[in-house]
Amino acid sequence: AQTALKTAVDRCGAALGLLALSPLLLLLVLLIRLDSPGPAFYRQVRVGRDRETFTMWKFRSMVTDADVRKDDLAARNECDGLMFKMRRDPRVTRVGRFLRRTSLDELPQLLNVLRGDMSLVGPRPPLPEEVAAYDATALRRLRVKPGMTGLWQVSGRSDLSWDETIQLDLHYVDNWSFSSDLDVMSRTLRAVVDGRGAY
């Protein structure tokens, strides 16, 4: 019953969110296009539940050749694990810094939730190359759908170490309940306003 309720809340919440936020989404599309050349949306292959891949959507917050330039910045990675994070990534655009600070770049993932690829709450959706390097413990985080927000977002986001991120995700997988999802969603707004770890 809890799983069915989670699915219903995901689909209804995503649909209502897209409808209510449509003026804001259109404004962000315009700002991104005016700020730097290229499309307003960025899509990337991510890994979901049971290692199924899907295309995740975001607002573009970097220059269009960001993926090509990633290898050149590898030595400046500030994450101690499989993820790549830089506090002052030179690929991020002016509008992109604002989008990341406020997490508005994540709003197009409501489409992924509506499609059933993601949930409103769950572990961070990893890249295929990250999953390829997972051990058996880390693979357990793929037992549930990834989320737009989760314990990682309300606990520090990019300021977390790799081990801390994995432990939070596994705690969610092992102890999930619908009430815990409601708690994470209520804490997400405070985390977004605070902006800690968002870069």
Side-chain angles (χ1 to χ4, degrees):
Q2 287 199 86
T3 302
L5 184 58
K6 178 181 176 70
T7 300
V9 169
D10 281 345
R11 298 293 177 87
C12 293
L16 292 174
L18 288 168
L19 183 63
L21 296 172
S22 56
L24 174 62
L25 300 178
L26 291 173
L27 175 61
L28 293 177
V29 166
L30 179 62
L31 291 176
I32 294 166
R33 294 296 301 273
L34 290 174
D35 180 55
S36 63
F41 295 95
Y42 173 74
R43 58 184 184 177
Q44 189 177 51
V45 175
R46 297 290 182 116
V47 181
R49 183 172 60 186
D50 298 328
R51 305 181 75 167
E52 291 288 331
T53 58
F54 67 97
T55 299
M56 187 184 77
W57 291 85
K58 299 179 71 172
F59 279 126
R60 181 174 60 85
S61 61
M62 292 185 172
V63 294
T64 54
D65 62 345
D67 289 336
V68 177
R69 294 169 58 183
K70 182 178 177 180
D71 290 341
D72 297 334
L73 299 170
R76 298 167 62 184
N77 186 13
E78 298 177 25
C79 182
D80 63 349
L82 301 176
M83 297 181 292
F84 179 86
K85 291 290 182 182
M86 280 183 64
R87 197 173 299 273
R88 294 178 179 84
D89 195 320
R91 301 171 299 165
V92 179
T93 63
R94 289 175 301 174
V95 169
R97 283 192 289 273
F98 168 74
L99 294 177
R100 286 170 170 243
R101 166 67 177 76
T102 57
S103 296
L104 291 174
D105 60 322
E106 311 285 353
L107 288 180
Q109 290 167 31
L110 288 169
L111 291 169
N112 291 115
V113 176
L114 191 61
R115 285 170 47 89
D117 300 322
M118 294 177 62
S119 176
L120 293 175
V121 181
R124 187 190 69 87
L127 293 163
E129 56 264 34
E130 294 172 357
V131 174
Y134 277 6
D135 58 18
T137 299
L139 284 173
R140 285 173 46 216
R141 67 194 299 276
L142 302 179
R143 291 180 179 175
V144 299
K145 288 182 182 179
M148 288 185 65
T149 186
L151 289 176
W152 49 274
Q153 183 163 24
V154 300
S155 304
R157 289 188 271 188
S158 295
D159 286 342
L160 298 172
S161 70
W162 171 251
D163 287 341
E164 287 171 332
T165 301
I166 291 296
Q167 289 305 312
L168 285 171
D169 285 343
L170 294 182
H171 177 81
Y172 176 83
V173 171
D174 294 339
N175 299 280
W176 175 81
S177 68
F178 185 71
S179 61
S180 68
D181 273 7
L182 294 178
D183 177 62
V184 169
M185 284 190 279
S186 68
R187 292 164 59 190
T188 295
L189 180 59
R190 183 173 59 189
V192 169
V193 172
D194 178 65
R196 184 169 61 91
Y199 52 85

